[in-house]
Amino acid sequence: MILTGEKEYYKGVGAIKYEGKESNNPLAFKYYNPEQRVLGKPMREHFKFAAAYWHSFCGQGGDPFGPGTQQFPWDQSSDPMQRAYDKADAAFEFITKMGFDYFCFHDIDLVEEAASLSETEKRLHQIEEYITQKKKDSGVKVLWGTANCFSNPVYMNGAATNPDFQVVARAGAQIKMALDLTIALGGENYVFWGGREGYMSLLNTDMGRELDHLAQMLSMARDYGRKQGFKGTFFIEPKPMEPMKHQYDFDAATAIGFLKNYGLEKDFKLNIEVNHATLAQHSFEHELSVAANAGMLGSIDANRGDYQNGWDTDQFPVNLYEVTEAMLVFLQAGGLQGGGINFDAKIRRNSTDLEDIFHAHIGGADTFARALLTAENIITNSPYKALREERYASFDKGQGKSFEKGILSLEEIAEIAFKGEPPKRISGKQERFENIINQFL
Ligand code: XUL
Ligand code: CO
Protein backbone atom coordinates (compact mmCIF):
# COMPACT_ATOMS: atom_id res chain seq x y z
CA MET A 1 0.00 0.00 0.00
CA ILE A 2 1.18 3.51 -0.83
CA LEU A 3 1.07 6.06 1.96
CA THR A 4 -0.33 9.31 0.62
CA GLY A 5 0.55 12.68 2.11
CA GLU A 6 -0.71 13.87 5.48
CA LYS A 7 -0.15 17.54 4.83
CA GLU A 8 -3.10 19.94 4.73
CA TYR A 9 -2.74 22.53 1.94
CA TYR A 10 -5.99 24.46 2.22
CA LYS A 11 -5.71 25.33 5.88
CA GLY A 12 -8.64 27.10 7.45
CA VAL A 13 -11.13 25.76 4.91
CA GLY A 14 -13.25 22.81 5.99
CA ALA A 15 -15.86 20.79 4.11
CA ILE A 16 -18.12 23.06 2.08
CA LYS A 17 -21.75 22.46 3.07
CA TYR A 18 -25.13 23.57 1.82
CA GLU A 19 -26.41 26.28 4.18
CA GLY A 20 -29.15 27.85 2.07
CA LYS A 21 -29.56 31.34 0.66
CA GLU A 22 -29.92 33.03 4.04
CA SER A 23 -26.38 31.99 5.01
CA ASN A 24 -23.70 34.68 5.10
CA ASN A 25 -20.90 32.14 5.18
CA PRO A 26 -18.79 32.77 2.06
CA LEU A 27 -17.51 29.18 2.27
CA ALA A 28 -20.93 27.51 2.04
CA PHE A 29 -23.28 26.63 -0.82
CA LYS A 30 -26.37 28.81 -0.99
CA TYR A 31 -28.20 26.88 -3.73
CA TYR A 32 -26.22 23.72 -4.52
CA ASN A 33 -27.78 21.13 -2.26
CA PRO A 34 -26.38 17.82 -3.56
CA GLU A 35 -29.22 15.59 -2.37
CA GLN A 36 -32.09 17.94 -3.30
CA ARG A 37 -34.22 16.45 -6.06
CA VAL A 38 -34.94 18.35 -9.23
CA LEU A 39 -37.45 16.71 -11.56
CA GLY A 40 -36.99 13.50 -9.59
CA LYS A 41 -33.17 13.37 -9.60
CA PRO A 42 -30.68 14.68 -7.00
CA MET A 43 -28.65 17.72 -8.09
CA ARG A 44 -25.49 15.70 -7.51
CA GLU A 45 -26.53 13.31 -10.28
CA HIS A 46 -27.82 15.98 -12.64
CA PHE A 47 -24.49 17.77 -12.56
CA LYS A 48 -21.71 15.34 -11.67
CA PHE A 49 -19.54 18.38 -10.87
CA ALA A 50 -15.85 17.97 -11.67
CA ALA A 51 -12.75 20.04 -10.90
CA ALA A 52 -10.37 20.64 -13.82
CA TYR A 53 -6.90 19.54 -12.70
CA TRP A 54 -5.09 21.89 -15.09
CA HIS A 55 -6.69 25.15 -14.06
CA SER A 56 -6.92 24.58 -10.33
CA PHE A 57 -3.70 22.73 -9.51
CA CYS A 58 -1.31 23.41 -12.43
CA GLY A 59 -2.00 26.84 -13.95
CA GLN A 60 -0.49 29.59 -11.85
CA GLY A 61 -2.00 32.62 -13.50
CA GLY A 62 0.56 33.18 -16.25
CA ASP A 63 -0.60 35.02 -19.36
CA PRO A 64 1.13 36.08 -22.63
CA PHE A 65 2.37 39.22 -20.87
CA GLY A 66 3.76 37.85 -17.66
CA PRO A 67 4.50 34.79 -15.59
CA GLY A 68 2.31 33.16 -12.95
CA THR A 69 1.35 35.03 -9.81
CA GLN A 70 0.06 32.12 -7.75
CA GLN A 71 2.56 30.16 -5.73
CA PHE A 72 1.46 26.67 -4.86
CA PRO A 73 2.96 24.95 -1.81
CA TRP A 74 2.67 21.62 -3.65
CA ASP A 75 5.06 22.83 -6.35
CA GLN A 76 8.11 23.23 -4.15
CA SER A 77 10.01 19.92 -4.41
CA SER A 78 12.92 19.66 -6.84
CA ASP A 79 11.81 16.12 -7.80
CA PRO A 80 9.09 16.01 -10.49
CA MET A 81 7.52 12.84 -9.04
CA GLN A 82 7.35 14.36 -5.56
CA ARG A 83 5.76 17.50 -7.05
CA ALA A 84 3.19 15.27 -8.75
CA TYR A 85 2.38 13.43 -5.52
CA ASP A 86 2.07 16.68 -3.59
CA LYS A 87 -0.16 18.12 -6.29
CA ALA A 88 -2.37 15.02 -6.15
CA ASP A 89 -2.65 15.45 -2.37
CA ALA A 90 -3.73 19.07 -2.83
CA ALA A 91 -6.17 18.14 -5.60
CA PHE A 92 -7.86 15.40 -3.61
CA GLU A 93 -8.00 17.59 -0.53
CA PHE A 94 -9.71 20.32 -2.55
CA ILE A 95 -12.16 18.01 -4.38
CA THR A 96 -13.09 16.24 -1.15
CA LYS A 97 -13.61 19.49 0.75
CA MET A 98 -15.82 20.77 -2.09
CA GLY A 99 -17.88 17.58 -1.86
CA PHE A 100 -17.46 17.03 -5.61
CA ASP A 101 -17.43 13.47 -6.95
CA TYR A 102 -15.20 13.98 -9.97
CA PHE A 103 -12.17 15.52 -11.60
CA CYS A 104 -10.93 15.79 -15.21
CA PHE A 105 -7.31 15.74 -16.31
CA HIS A 106 -4.80 15.85 -19.15
CA ASP A 107 -2.05 13.22 -18.96
CA ILE A 108 0.65 15.79 -18.24
CA ASP A 109 -1.41 17.67 -15.65
CA LEU A 110 -0.86 14.73 -13.32
CA VAL A 111 2.90 14.66 -13.77
CA GLU A 112 5.23 16.76 -15.90
CA GLU A 113 6.34 15.34 -19.23
CA ALA A 114 9.89 13.94 -19.24
CA ALA A 115 12.56 14.27 -21.94
CA SER A 116 11.60 10.98 -23.63
CA LEU A 117 8.30 9.20 -24.24
CA SER A 118 9.43 6.13 -22.32
CA GLU A 119 10.45 8.22 -19.29
CA THR A 120 7.08 9.99 -19.44
CA GLU A 121 5.35 6.61 -19.56
CA LYS A 122 7.22 5.54 -16.42
CA ARG A 123 6.16 8.70 -14.63
CA LEU A 124 2.56 8.19 -15.70
CA HIS A 125 2.56 4.68 -14.27
CA GLN A 126 3.89 5.94 -10.97
CA ILE A 127 1.31 8.69 -10.63
CA GLU A 128 -1.41 6.27 -11.75
CA GLU A 129 -0.57 4.03 -8.82
CA TYR A 130 -0.60 6.94 -6.40
CA ILE A 131 -3.90 8.36 -7.66
CA THR A 132 -5.52 4.91 -7.67
CA GLN A 133 -4.89 4.78 -3.95
CA LYS A 134 -6.22 8.29 -3.39
CA LYS A 135 -9.36 7.45 -5.38
CA LYS A 136 -9.92 4.41 -3.18
CA ASP A 137 -9.46 6.40 0.02
CA SER A 138 -11.75 9.26 -1.04
CA GLY A 139 -14.35 7.82 -3.43
CA VAL A 140 -13.51 10.60 -5.92
CA LYS A 141 -13.87 9.50 -9.57
CA VAL A 142 -12.60 10.49 -13.01
CA LEU A 143 -15.21 12.12 -15.25
CA TRP A 144 -12.83 12.17 -18.20
CA GLY A 145 -9.19 12.07 -19.15
CA THR A 146 -7.47 13.46 -22.22
CA ALA A 147 -4.05 13.86 -23.81
CA ASN A 148 -2.46 17.29 -23.94
CA CYS A 149 -1.38 17.22 -27.59
CA PHE A 150 -0.98 20.97 -27.86
CA SER A 151 1.54 22.34 -25.31
CA ASN A 152 4.69 20.54 -26.41
CA PRO A 153 6.38 22.52 -29.24
CA VAL A 154 6.54 19.26 -31.26
CA TYR A 155 2.84 19.92 -32.02
CA MET A 156 3.35 23.40 -33.47
CA ASN A 157 2.09 22.16 -36.88
CA GLY A 158 -0.68 20.03 -35.38
CA ALA A 159 -0.90 16.65 -33.66
CA ALA A 160 -3.11 14.14 -35.52
CA THR A 161 -3.29 16.65 -38.39
CA ASN A 162 0.46 17.33 -38.56
CA PRO A 163 1.85 17.14 -42.12
CA ASP A 164 4.73 15.03 -40.76
CA PHE A 165 3.85 11.40 -40.04
CA GLN A 166 6.49 11.17 -37.27
CA VAL A 167 4.60 13.77 -35.26
CA VAL A 168 1.28 12.03 -35.94
CA ALA A 169 2.81 8.83 -34.59
CA ARG A 170 4.05 10.67 -31.50
CA ALA A 171 0.54 12.04 -30.92
CA GLY A 172 -0.74 8.47 -31.27
CA ALA A 173 1.70 7.29 -28.60
CA GLN A 174 0.57 10.05 -26.28
CA ILE A 175 -3.12 9.36 -26.88
CA LYS A 176 -2.53 5.63 -26.25
CA MET A 177 -0.82 6.38 -22.93
CA ALA A 178 -3.55 8.85 -21.92
CA LEU A 179 -6.24 6.30 -22.79
CA ASP A 180 -4.43 3.60 -20.79
CA LEU A 181 -4.21 6.00 -17.86
CA THR A 182 -7.87 7.03 -18.12
CA ILE A 183 -8.98 3.40 -18.25
CA ALA A 184 -6.71 2.45 -15.33
CA LEU A 185 -8.18 5.29 -13.25
CA GLY A 186 -11.73 4.18 -14.05
CA GLY A 187 -12.42 7.23 -16.23
CA GLU A 188 -16.05 7.37 -17.33
CA ASN A 189 -15.29 9.21 -20.58
CA TYR A 190 -12.39 10.28 -22.78
CA VAL A 191 -12.09 13.72 -24.43
CA PHE A 192 -10.50 15.02 -27.61
CA TRP A 193 -9.97 18.73 -27.79
CA GLY A 194 -7.99 19.62 -30.91
CA GLY A 195 -6.18 22.77 -29.91
CA ARG A 196 -3.65 22.46 -32.73
CA GLU A 197 -5.88 20.48 -35.09
CA GLY A 198 -6.60 23.22 -37.59
CA TYR A 199 -4.59 25.76 -39.52
CA MET A 200 -2.94 29.15 -39.31
CA SER A 201 -2.98 29.52 -43.11
CA LEU A 202 -4.78 27.56 -45.81
CA LEU A 203 -1.92 28.36 -48.18
CA ASN A 204 0.27 25.66 -46.63
CA THR A 205 -2.57 23.34 -45.59
CA ASP A 206 -4.25 20.40 -47.30
CA MET A 207 -7.45 20.55 -45.25
CA GLY A 208 -9.08 17.46 -46.79
CA ARG A 209 -6.07 15.30 -46.04
CA GLU A 210 -5.75 16.64 -42.51
CA LEU A 211 -9.44 15.92 -41.78
CA ASP A 212 -8.97 12.34 -43.04
CA HIS A 213 -5.97 11.97 -40.72
CA LEU A 214 -7.89 13.34 -37.74
CA ALA A 215 -10.71 10.86 -38.36
CA GLN A 216 -8.16 8.07 -38.77
CA MET A 217 -6.62 8.88 -35.38
CA LEU A 218 -10.03 9.03 -33.69
CA SER A 219 -11.02 5.68 -35.21
CA MET A 220 -7.76 4.09 -34.05
CA ALA A 221 -8.22 5.49 -30.54
CA ARG A 222 -11.81 4.23 -30.46
CA ASP A 223 -10.75 0.74 -31.62
CA TYR A 224 -7.89 0.60 -29.13
CA GLY A 225 -10.04 1.83 -26.24
CA ARG A 226 -12.79 -0.69 -26.97
CA LYS A 227 -10.20 -3.48 -27.26
CA GLN A 228 -8.94 -2.53 -23.80
CA GLY A 229 -12.47 -2.78 -22.42
CA PHE A 230 -13.27 0.94 -22.25
CA LYS A 231 -17.08 1.20 -22.13
CA GLY A 232 -17.32 4.97 -21.73
CA THR A 233 -18.06 7.64 -24.30
CA PHE A 234 -15.52 9.51 -26.38
CA PHE A 235 -16.20 13.22 -26.54
CA ILE A 236 -15.19 15.85 -29.06
CA GLU A 237 -14.92 19.34 -27.55
CA PRO A 238 -15.67 21.92 -30.24
CA LYS A 239 -13.80 25.23 -30.35
CA PRO A 240 -13.57 27.54 -33.35
CA MET A 241 -10.11 29.05 -32.85
CA GLU A 242 -7.33 29.78 -30.33
CA PRO A 243 -4.62 28.66 -30.49
CA MET A 244 -5.20 28.07 -34.24
CA LYS A 245 -6.84 30.61 -36.54
CA HIS A 246 -9.31 27.89 -37.47
CA GLN A 247 -9.91 24.63 -35.61
CA TYR A 248 -11.52 21.67 -37.32
CA ASP A 249 -13.97 21.05 -34.45
CA PHE A 250 -15.27 24.57 -34.97
CA ASP A 251 -18.67 24.19 -33.29
CA ALA A 252 -21.24 21.52 -32.44
CA ALA A 253 -22.76 21.44 -35.94
CA THR A 254 -19.34 21.13 -37.60
CA ALA A 255 -18.22 18.39 -35.20
CA ILE A 256 -21.45 16.41 -35.69
CA GLY A 257 -21.09 16.65 -39.48
CA PHE A 258 -17.48 15.49 -39.21
CA LEU A 259 -18.34 12.54 -36.94
CA LYS A 260 -21.17 11.42 -39.24
CA ASN A 261 -19.04 11.85 -42.33
CA TYR A 262 -16.46 9.43 -40.94
CA GLY A 263 -18.89 6.99 -39.27
CA LEU A 264 -17.82 7.89 -35.73
CA GLU A 265 -21.20 9.04 -34.41
CA LYS A 266 -21.95 5.90 -32.39
CA ASP A 267 -18.92 6.12 -30.11
CA PHE A 268 -18.50 9.90 -29.94
CA LYS A 269 -20.62 12.61 -28.39
CA LEU A 270 -19.93 16.28 -27.67
CA ASN A 271 -18.46 18.11 -24.73
CA ILE A 272 -19.88 21.63 -24.99
CA GLU A 273 -17.88 24.48 -23.46
CA VAL A 274 -19.56 27.81 -22.78
CA ASN A 275 -16.69 30.08 -23.80
CA HIS A 276 -16.04 28.02 -26.94
CA ALA A 277 -19.70 28.47 -27.91
CA THR A 278 -19.45 32.24 -27.59
CA LEU A 279 -16.13 32.34 -29.47
CA ALA A 280 -17.98 30.61 -32.34
CA GLN A 281 -20.56 33.45 -32.26
CA HIS A 282 -23.15 31.14 -30.72
CA SER A 283 -24.75 31.03 -27.31
CA PHE A 284 -24.15 28.20 -24.85
CA GLU A 285 -27.79 27.11 -25.17
CA HIS A 286 -27.49 27.10 -28.95
CA GLU A 287 -24.61 24.63 -28.81
CA LEU A 288 -26.45 22.50 -26.23
CA SER A 289 -29.52 22.44 -28.48
CA VAL A 290 -27.55 21.46 -31.58
CA ALA A 291 -25.88 18.60 -29.69
CA ALA A 292 -29.14 17.50 -28.02
CA ASN A 293 -31.05 17.51 -31.33
CA ALA A 294 -28.48 15.08 -32.71
CA GLY A 295 -28.70 12.89 -29.59
CA MET A 296 -25.08 13.80 -28.85
CA LEU A 297 -25.18 16.00 -25.76
CA GLY A 298 -22.49 14.26 -23.77
CA SER A 299 -20.88 16.64 -21.31
CA ILE A 300 -20.31 20.29 -20.41
CA ASP A 301 -17.21 22.38 -19.72
CA ALA A 302 -18.61 25.15 -17.56
CA ASN A 303 -17.15 28.64 -17.67
CA ARG A 304 -17.91 32.01 -19.23
CA GLY A 305 -16.27 34.50 -21.55
CA ASP A 306 -16.17 38.25 -21.24
CA TYR A 307 -18.34 40.53 -23.36
CA GLN A 308 -15.47 42.95 -23.98
CA ASN A 309 -12.83 40.35 -24.81
CA GLY A 310 -12.64 38.16 -27.88
CA TRP A 311 -10.67 35.32 -26.36
CA ASP A 312 -11.11 32.29 -24.12
CA THR A 313 -11.06 33.91 -20.68
CA ASP A 314 -12.36 30.77 -18.92
CA GLN A 315 -14.01 32.64 -16.05
CA PHE A 316 -16.29 30.91 -13.58
CA PRO A 317 -20.01 31.06 -14.41
CA VAL A 318 -22.03 33.79 -12.70
CA ASN A 319 -24.76 34.82 -15.13
CA LEU A 320 -28.05 33.40 -13.84
CA TYR A 321 -30.20 34.49 -16.75
CA GLU A 322 -27.90 32.88 -19.32
CA VAL A 323 -27.30 29.69 -17.37
CA THR A 324 -31.07 29.37 -16.83
CA GLU A 325 -31.58 29.51 -20.61
CA ALA A 326 -29.01 26.71 -20.87
CA MET A 327 -30.61 24.68 -18.07
CA LEU A 328 -33.95 24.82 -19.89
CA VAL A 329 -32.29 23.07 -22.82
CA PHE A 330 -30.41 20.73 -20.49
CA LEU A 331 -33.53 19.56 -18.61
CA GLN A 332 -35.66 19.24 -21.72
CA ALA A 333 -32.92 17.17 -23.37
CA GLY A 334 -33.02 14.78 -20.40
CA GLY A 335 -29.55 15.83 -19.18
CA LEU A 336 -26.15 14.64 -20.33
CA GLN A 337 -25.18 11.33 -21.86
CA GLY A 338 -22.39 9.96 -19.74
CA GLY A 339 -20.72 13.25 -18.87
CA GLY A 340 -21.08 15.93 -16.23
CA ILE A 341 -20.27 19.56 -15.51
CA ASN A 342 -16.54 20.15 -15.49
CA PHE A 343 -15.43 23.57 -14.28
CA ASP A 344 -12.99 24.32 -17.08
CA ALA A 345 -12.45 27.72 -15.51
CA LYS A 346 -9.68 29.58 -13.75
CA ILE A 347 -9.50 32.27 -11.13
CA ARG A 348 -8.12 35.62 -12.26
CA ARG A 349 -4.40 36.31 -12.27
CA ASN A 350 -4.70 38.61 -9.28
CA SER A 351 -6.71 36.09 -7.24
CA THR A 352 -3.75 34.83 -5.29
CA ASP A 353 -5.15 33.33 -2.09
CA LEU A 354 -5.43 29.55 -1.87
CA GLU A 355 -9.05 29.91 -0.74
CA ASP A 356 -9.97 31.77 -3.95
CA ILE A 357 -10.58 28.53 -5.85
CA PHE A 358 -13.16 27.58 -3.21
CA HIS A 359 -15.06 30.82 -3.76
CA ALA A 360 -14.83 30.26 -7.51
CA HIS A 361 -16.21 26.70 -7.44
CA ILE A 362 -18.87 27.55 -4.85
CA GLY A 363 -20.06 30.38 -7.11
CA GLY A 364 -20.05 28.13 -10.17
CA ALA A 365 -21.95 25.32 -8.45
CA ASP A 366 -24.47 27.76 -6.94
CA THR A 367 -25.03 29.43 -10.31
CA PHE A 368 -25.78 26.10 -11.98
CA ALA A 369 -27.94 24.96 -9.06
CA ARG A 370 -30.00 28.14 -8.95
CA ALA A 371 -30.41 28.07 -12.72
CA LEU A 372 -31.47 24.41 -12.62
CA LEU A 373 -34.07 25.13 -9.94
CA THR A 374 -35.35 28.08 -11.94
CA ALA A 375 -35.56 26.01 -15.11
CA GLU A 376 -37.45 23.27 -13.27
CA ASN A 377 -39.88 25.83 -11.91
CA ILE A 378 -40.37 27.37 -15.36
CA ILE A 379 -41.00 23.97 -16.94
CA THR A 380 -43.45 22.83 -14.28
CA ASN A 381 -45.20 26.03 -13.22
CA SER A 382 -45.08 28.58 -16.03
CA PRO A 383 -46.83 28.72 -19.39
CA TYR A 384 -43.38 28.44 -21.08
CA LYS A 385 -43.81 24.92 -22.48
CA ALA A 386 -47.42 25.45 -23.50
CA LEU A 387 -46.57 28.74 -25.23
CA ARG A 388 -43.82 27.06 -27.22
CA GLU A 389 -46.01 24.12 -28.16
CA GLU A 390 -48.80 26.47 -29.19
CA ARG A 391 -46.54 28.06 -31.79
CA TYR A 392 -46.33 24.71 -33.57
CA ALA A 393 -49.95 23.61 -32.98
CA SER A 394 -50.74 23.74 -36.71
CA PHE A 395 -48.51 20.68 -37.16
CA ASP A 396 -50.42 18.65 -34.56
CA LYS A 397 -53.41 17.95 -36.79
CA GLY A 398 -54.69 17.94 -40.37
CA GLN A 399 -52.45 19.00 -43.22
CA GLY A 400 -49.64 20.21 -40.94
CA LYS A 401 -49.43 16.76 -39.41
CA SER A 402 -49.37 15.16 -42.87
CA PHE A 403 -46.51 17.49 -43.81
CA GLU A 404 -44.52 16.39 -40.74
CA LYS A 405 -45.18 12.76 -41.57
CA GLY A 406 -43.74 13.35 -45.03
CA ILE A 407 -46.86 12.30 -46.90
CA LEU A 408 -47.44 15.56 -48.75
CA SER A 409 -45.63 16.52 -51.95
CA LEU A 410 -44.45 20.01 -52.83
CA GLU A 411 -47.30 20.25 -55.39
CA GLU A 412 -49.82 19.37 -52.68
CA ILE A 413 -48.67 21.97 -50.18
CA ALA A 414 -48.53 24.53 -53.00
CA GLU A 415 -52.17 23.70 -53.76
CA ILE A 416 -53.08 24.11 -50.08
CA ALA A 417 -51.54 27.58 -50.15
CA PHE A 418 -53.29 28.58 -53.39
CA LYS A 419 -56.68 27.40 -52.15
CA GLY A 420 -56.48 28.49 -48.51
CA GLU A 421 -56.75 31.82 -46.73
CA PRO A 422 -53.61 34.01 -46.67
CA PRO A 423 -51.54 33.29 -43.49
CA LYS A 424 -52.44 35.30 -40.39
CA ARG A 425 -49.90 37.52 -38.69
CA ILE A 426 -48.86 35.60 -35.53
CA SER A 427 -46.63 37.22 -32.92
CA GLY A 428 -43.48 35.38 -31.85
CA LYS A 429 -43.96 36.71 -28.28
CA GLN A 430 -40.22 36.85 -27.58
CA GLU A 431 -40.56 39.48 -24.86
CA ARG A 432 -43.18 37.46 -23.02
CA PHE A 433 -40.84 34.45 -23.05
CA GLU A 434 -37.99 36.61 -21.78
CA ASN A 435 -40.10 37.90 -18.92
CA ILE A 436 -40.89 34.37 -17.74
CA ILE A 437 -37.22 33.79 -16.92
CA ASN A 438 -37.02 37.02 -14.91
CA GLN A 439 -40.21 36.18 -13.04
CA PHE A 440 -38.98 32.76 -11.95
CA LEU A 441 -35.35 33.61 -11.15
C1 XUL B 1 -9.15 24.62 -24.08
C2 XUL B 1 -9.96 23.63 -23.34
C3 XUL B 1 -9.25 22.41 -22.89
C4 XUL B 1 -10.04 21.17 -23.01
C5 XUL B 1 -9.27 19.90 -22.69
O1 XUL B 1 -9.84 25.74 -24.48
O2 XUL B 1 -11.12 23.84 -23.09
O3 XUL B 1 -8.84 22.61 -21.59
O4 XUL B 1 -11.16 21.20 -22.18
O5 XUL B 1 -8.12 19.78 -23.42
CO1 CO C 1 -12.55 22.69 -22.12
Side-chain angles (χ1 to χ4, degrees):
M1 149 156 183
I2 307 170
L3 282 179
T4 58
E6 295 293 316
K7 197 166 167 207
E8 188 181 26
Y9 287 102
Y10 302 96
K11 289 204 185 72
V13 184
I16 308 299
K17 297 269 186 269
Y18 169 73
E19 291 184 6
K21 65 177 180 175
E22 306 305 330
S23 167
N24 282 320
N25 177 1
L27 290 170
F29 295 119
K30 315 297 182 300
Y31 290 91
Y32 176 55
N33 183 4
E35 306 316 327
Q36 186 177 338
R37 290 184 170 267
V38 175
L39 294 183
K41 195 158 102 177
M43 283 192 191
R44 179 190 286 283
E45 285 172 34
H46 273 289
F47 292 138
K48 292 165 76 178
F49 282 137
Y53 219 88
W54 54 102
H55 282 312
S56 291
F57 316 113
C58 306
Q60 299 168 347
D63 69 15
F65 302 94
T69 51
Q70 293 142 3
Q71 281 149 11
F72 296 144
W74 52 87
D75 262 345
Q76 305 306 317
S77 171
S78 56
D79 170 33
M81 272 328 300
Q82 190 56 50
R83 283 201 295 278
Y85 297 145
D86 292 346
K87 181 159 64 178
D89 289 345
F92 276 77
E93 182 190 331
F94 172 76
I95 297 162
T96 310
K97 283 182 170 174
M98 283 303 303
F100 285 180
D101 295 322
Y102 290 95
F103 69 96
C104 298
F105 68 90
H106 301 86
D107 46 359
I108 56 174
D109 297 338
L110 301 188
V111 61
E112 291 150 52
E113 216 170 359
S116 70
L117 277 176
S118 49
E119 189 55 33
T120 300
E121 190 176 38
K122 248 187 247 158
R123 287 187 185 181
L124 290 173
H125 280 145
Q126 284 171 278
I127 195 66
E128 172 199 312
E129 220 184 317
Y130 193 78
I131 288 185
T132 300
Q133 185 63 44
K134 296 202 74 77
K135 282 181 64 241
K136 260 190 213 138
D137 295 345
S138 62
V140 169
K141 296 175 274 190
V142 170
L143 186 65
W144 51 259
T146 187
N148 176 336
C149 290
F150 46 89
S151 293
N152 192 312
V154 72
Y155 298 124
M156 67 179 186
N157 288 307
T161 61
N162 199 292
D164 176 8
F165 171 69
Q166 288 308 322
V167 180
V168 174
R170 192 206 190 271
Q174 211 186 318
I175 291 167
K176 178 182 172 292
M177 290 192 287
L179 251 170
D180 286 338
L181 180 59
T182 303
I183 295 169
L185 293 178
E188 295 182 13
N189 307 278
Y190 185 87
V191 161
F192 288 91
W193 171 64
R196 307 264 176 210
E197 314 293 24
Y199 60 80
M200 300 302 289
S201 167
L202 260 185
L203 286 173
N204 64 3
T205 303
D206 184 336
M207 179 159 49
R209 212 162 174 187
E210 292 196 1
L211 284 167
D212 288 348
H213 294 175
L214 180 58
Q216 189 59 42
M217 183 68 87
L218 297 178
S219 309
M220 285 161 58
R222 185 257 331 261
D223 294 345
Y224 176 74
R226 295 297 181 229
K227 201 169 72 190
Q228 300 306 111
F230 177 63
K231 298 264 180 326
T233 305
F234 294 94
F235 295 140
I236 298 282
E237 184 177 319
K239 186 176 182 182
M241 67 190 97
E242 197 201 357
M244 301 306 263
K245 164 196 160 80
H246 174 92
Q247 276 157 224
Y248 293 137
D249 304 321
F250 192 91
D251 60 2
T254 309
I256 291 165
F258 168 85
L259 290 171
K260 291 195 171 166
N261 194 22
Y262 289 99
L264 292 163
E265 71 273 20
K266 288 200 172 52
D267 297 276
F268 285 77
K269 296 196 170 13
L270 301 188
N271 179 30
I272 301 295
E273 177 159 329
V274 186
N275 206 168
H276 297 181
T278 51
L279 276 176
Q281 307 282 309
H282 300 309
S283 62
F284 178 30
E285 65 271 20
H286 168 93
E287 289 292 83
L288 294 179
S289 299
V290 171
N293 290 340
M296 288 188 176
L297 179 54
S299 206
I300 286 175
D301 268 13
N303 57 25
R304 77 176 202 273
D306 180 289
Y307 289 117
Q308 280 78 50
N309 289 339
W311 68 88
D312 197 11
T313 60
D314 282 346
Q315 286 161 265
F316 277 82
V318 290
N319 192 317
L320 282 173
Y321 195 103
E322 287 177 0
V323 181
T324 301
E325 289 180 278
M327 288 300 99
L328 280 169
V329 178
F330 174 94
L331 280 178
Q332 291 176 106
L336 304 171
Q337 298 190 39
I341 311 264
N342 167 46
F343 288 107
D344 192 355
K346 59 187 175 208
I347 50 176
R348 297 303 89 191
R349 190 166 182 265
N350 56 350
S351 297
T352 48
D353 290 340
L354 277 180
E355 69 162 23
D356 290 332
I357 67 161
F358 283 91
H359 294 301
H361 285 83
I362 289 168
D366 272 344
T367 300
F368 267 80
R370 192 168 169 188
L372 188 78
L373 290 165
T374 309
E376 178 198 35
N377 203 358
I378 289 171
I379 288 167
T380 30
N381 297 317
S382 85
Y384 165 79
K385 268 187 92 170
L387 284 172
R388 251 164 67 121
E389 278 160 20
E390 234 172 81
R391 292 195 74 211
Y392 299 89
S394 61
F395 292 95
D396 293 338
K397 53 179 186 333
Q399 292 160 331
K401 195 168 183 179
S402 304
F403 168 83
E404 265 198 356
K405 279 192 180 150
I407 53 178
L408 288 180
S409 67
L410 188 64
E411 298 95 300
E412 284 167 327
I413 67 163
E415 202 185 318
I416 292 166
F418 275 109
K419 283 193 179 150
E421 296 290 311
K424 294 190 198 77
R425 189 184 311 197
I426 305 174
S427 170
K429 294 270 171 243
Q430 181 175 329
E431 297 76 10
R432 184 165 174 204
F433 278 91
E434 288 168 347
N435 291 353
I436 291 175
I437 294 198
N438 245 340
Q439 186 191 340
F440 282 78
L441 265 180

